[in-house]
Amino acid sequence: RNLPLIIRDLALLVKADLPAEELRKGLANCGGELLHKVVIFDQYQGSPVAPGYKSLAFKLYLQAERNLTSQEINQLNERLINFAQTKFAAQLR
């Protein structure tokens, strides 16, 4: 039985010197078993992003052995945002 793959985007503002892959790996590790894959799909510096910062956008691929509820998806999203804010001083974009 093929269960649906849920894809969500997450855009974060971080200091320009933070390696994108370091944040991607951190999110992947934080996501637990529901987070199947994290892919960087955009990296941007320039107006309107403040000097010294960059925007990183990620595709989050979520999947489980059952259908995921909206609440589970939202809780995972919040956990990832809180992790990025705490560990990398990221801001939601």
Side-chain angles (χ1 to χ4, degrees), residues 2 8 22 31 37 45 52 71 77 80 84:
N2 282 341
R8 290 284 182 271
E22 189 176 330
K37 182 167 63 169
Q45 283 179 272
Q71 184 178 6
N77 206 42
L80 293 172

Side-chain angles (χ1 to χ4, degrees), residues 18 20 22 24 26 32-33 44 48 50 53 55-56 64 68 70 82 84 86 89:
L18 175 68
E22 189 176 330
R24 190 204 66 76
E33 62 186 28
Y44 177 77
Y53 288 85
S55 172
L56 294 175
L68 293 171
S70 296
N82 289 337
T86 304

Side-chain angles (χ1 to χ4, degrees), residues 8-13 20 23-24 27 38-44 54-60 93:
R8 290 284 182 271
D9 290 351
L10 178 62
L12 298 168
L13 203 58
L23 178 52
R24 190 204 66 76
L27 291 170
V38 180
V39 177
I40 301 165
F41 74 88
D42 188 47
Q43 182 167 279
Y44 177 77
K54 65 184 170 188
S55 172
L56 294 175
F58 301 91
K59 288 237 180 263
L60 309 174
R93 175 124 197 260

